[in-house]
Amino acid sequence: MLDVDILYRNYSGTIEELLIDFDPDSFRYEYEENEKRNIQLTVFLTNRNSGIYKGLSEEAFLIWRGQIFTIKECNPQQEGTIQFKEIIAQHISFSCADHVQYNLVEQERVYDIWQYLSHGHEGDELGFTIEARGEFPTIPMSSVGRQSLLEYVQTAAEKFGGVFYANNKHLVIYSPAEWYKYNGIDLRYQFNTDTVKLSSNTYNLKTYVKGFGKTKEDGTTVEAIYISPNVNKYGRRKADPITDERFLYSESLQSYLATKILDVPETSIEIVYKGNEPIGENEQLYLVHETLGYESMLNLKRMTLFHPYTNKASEIGFSNRITDMIDIQRQVHRRYNNMNKRLESTRYEMEQVTGIANTALSGDIVGEVT
């Protein structure tokens, strides 16, 4: 099957055919890390596809690049004599929301990621399998259960610090080291991208965090506090406590805490990529933007791909959720501070020059009056 081809499969799996007479300009694949993998497109009714067109409905399937997507929205419309359906299909892995673990483990206990996922997967009758790749911390949790397998997977990605990405019904949580790969693609302004949008906010800015490590044999728990140097600028903004039993010493725990809070404005970047190299969901890309004055290795967080026939440039996005763009933020922050320092220096020099000029001018005027 070619990269441009899309297959239709009915709900029972008894019919599978090549999807034809869809509008390539309407096709888009949208990915957002841990949250979204959708395709959407518009299919027109023609004399060639009347059978498939009739079967295009909710819970039928579309297959693209070997991955199965479940149709979740199907909106038939007609304009004059033209009939068409606007379709949104979600990756089949997200249908693990249909399995729910009703049993509840109320007492607090320490879970590794496999124990946590296994509890959510227990009793699954929908054919899902689970896997965790890489190294993850252990996390104390209580009241575990009474939620869907999808909630387990997304919570595991958040709490243990991983990326959820499935191969159809095989659900995998990757550690960042296992997931992100640099394949030599650099993003350089006006070379393979001409649109770069930078935005920032302080909704998640924190300057103070307390952490708890391993409990020792004498019953005491390793504790550490990290206070950001930016507390002088933003005040004491406390983050939620962090618990990680891997740490036996407060010094190493404190160093770890420094990497877990965002002590400068949160930054996101949206880029239109015009290069020829294909970009995957796990891509690391090196961004260089001389005009805005920053460069850094970025982890891809969002992407929108269009149909190859349209020759539209891919849209890719990055976010600095703690580790992803901290270098970018600090570069922007330093650039802002340096600009302010230069402005202050220029203002001071202008005041000095103005003062000298006024003194000289005042002397000249007095001399003329005399």
Side-chain angles (χ1 to χ4, degrees):
M1 187 171 68
L2 299 177
D3 192 48
V4 298
D5 291 338
I6 302 171
L7 298 180
Y8 157 80
R9 179 187 293 171
N10 67 350
Y11 179 74
S12 61
T14 58
I15 299 174
E16 184 173 298
E17 295 185 27
L18 182 67
L19 183 67
I20 59 174
D21 296 327
F22 66 90
D23 178 13
D25 283 322
S26 70
F27 177 88
R28 63 175 55 205
Y29 166 72
E30 296 178 324
Y31 165 80
E32 183 172 349
E33 187 177 277
N34 297 334
E35 299 292 336
K36 183 179 185 180
R37 282 174 76 186
N38 290 351
I39 59 175
Q40 65 182 65
L41 73 166
T42 299
V43 182
F44 292 94
L45 174 62
T46 68
N47 293 330
R48 303 190 307 161
N49 71 353
S50 57
I52 292 179
Y53 186 87
K54 183 178 180 180
L56 286 171
S57 59
E58 293 84 355
E59 299 305 307
F61 304 104
L62 299 177
I63 304 172
W64 179 64
R65 291 183 171 179
Q67 297 297 305
I68 302 171
F69 295 80
T70 307
I71 296 177
K72 291 297 181 181
E73 295 186 35
C74 184
N75 303 311
Q77 300 183 47
Q78 183 166 355
E79 294 181 1
T81 60
I82 300 175
Q83 295 185 46
F84 57 93
K85 292 180 178 179
E86 293 181 342
I87 292 170
I88 298 178
Q90 184 182 58
H91 192 269
I92 196 169
S93 60
F94 286 83
S95 64
C96 68
D98 296 329
H99 170 67
V100 175
Q101 173 57 269
Y102 291 111
N103 295 327
L104 180 67
V105 180
E106 293 189 7
Q107 69 271 22
E108 182 176 86
R109 55 165 290 187
V110 176
Y111 289 85
D112 62 35
I113 192 169
W114 178 251
Q115 291 170 328
Y116 180 75
L117 290 173
S118 295
H119 186 263
H121 184 245
E122 182 181 340
D124 168 50
E125 299 176 345
L126 302 176
F128 289 97
T129 54
I130 58 173
E131 181 183 358
R133 296 184 188 177
E135 296 184 2
F136 296 92
T138 55
I139 303 291
M141 295 184 184
S142 60
S143 300
V144 171
R146 294 183 184 170
Q147 61 181 4
S148 71
L149 180 54
L150 178 61
E151 290 175 299
Y152 271 91
V153 169
Q154 292 178 326
T155 300
E158 177 187 356
K159 298 291 186 182
F160 291 90
V163 178
F164 162 49
Y165 191 83
N167 180 9
N168 290 319
K169 285 192 171 185
H170 184 55
L171 313 178
V172 185
I173 303 289
Y174 296 83
S175 69
E178 285 287 326
W179 176 246
Y180 297 111
K181 304 297 179 186
Y182 176 61
N183 296 311
I185 300 178
D186 296 339
L187 300 174
R188 189 174 291 273
Y189 182 61
Q190 292 186 332
F191 171 67
N192 56 7
T193 177
D194 60 6
T195 302
V196 178
K197 179 182 177 182
L198 177 70
S199 59
S200 63
N201 66 77
T202 57
Y203 292 119
N204 298 310
L205 190 147
K206 303 294 180 183
T207 57
Y208 180 103
V209 62
K210 187 171 185 177
F212 302 88
K214 191 173 183 61
T215 300
K216 301 178 181 178
E217 291 183 3
D218 61 3
T220 61
T221 301
V222 175
E223 297 184 7
I225 292 174
Y226 173 74
I227 302 176
S228 164
N230 288 337
V231 70
N232 296 324
K233 181 174 183 178
Y234 298 111
R236 181 170 293 193
R237 303 188 182 193
K238 293 185 177 181
D240 291 336
I242 294 173
T243 301
D244 193 327
E245 293 198 346
R246 293 178 299 173
F247 293 95
L248 302 175
Y249 303 100
S250 59
E251 293 81 2
S252 57
L253 176 58
Q254 186 183 55
S255 298
Y256 177 69
L257 294 177
T259 69
K260 302 303 289 183
I261 64 170
L262 194 61
D263 60 354
V264 293
E266 183 175 2
T267 305
S268 65
I269 288 183
E270 303 295 332
I271 293 174
V272 175
Y273 171 68
K274 295 189 173 183
N276 296 320
E277 302 93 338
I279 288 181
E281 291 89 337
N282 65 335
E283 205 80 44
Q284 278 189 325
L285 304 106
Y286 194 75
L287 173 65
V288 179
H289 197 302
E290 291 89 349
T291 307
L292 294 181
Y294 53 72
E295 58 180 273
S296 183
M297 185 72 76
L298 304 180
N299 296 329
L300 187 143
K301 295 295 179 180
R302 299 176 299 280
M303 69 186 306
T304 300
L305 301 181
F306 302 94
H307 197 276
Y309 288 167
T310 66
N311 292 318
K312 290 182 181 178
S314 302
E315 298 173 1
I316 53 181
F318 309 88
S319 173
N320 66 337
R321 292 284 178 175
I322 306 302
T323 57
D324 304 326
M325 283 182 53
I326 199 72
D327 289 340
I328 284 287
Q329 294 174 82
R330 286 175 175 157
Q331 287 180 52
V332 172
H333 192 63
R334 285 196 299 269
R335 184 177 176 84
Y336 175 78
N337 286 339
N338 290 338
M339 181 180 67
N340 281 343
K341 289 178 182 178
R342 289 196 298 271
L343 288 174
E344 288 297 326
S345 176
T346 302
R347 186 179 295 114
Y348 174 77
E349 292 172 0
M350 289 297 296
E351 288 174 352
Q352 293 291 99
V353 171
T354 302
I356 294 171
N358 287 339
T359 300
L361 183 60
S362 175
D364 289 342
I365 293 174
V366 171
E368 290 176 0
V369 171
T370 301

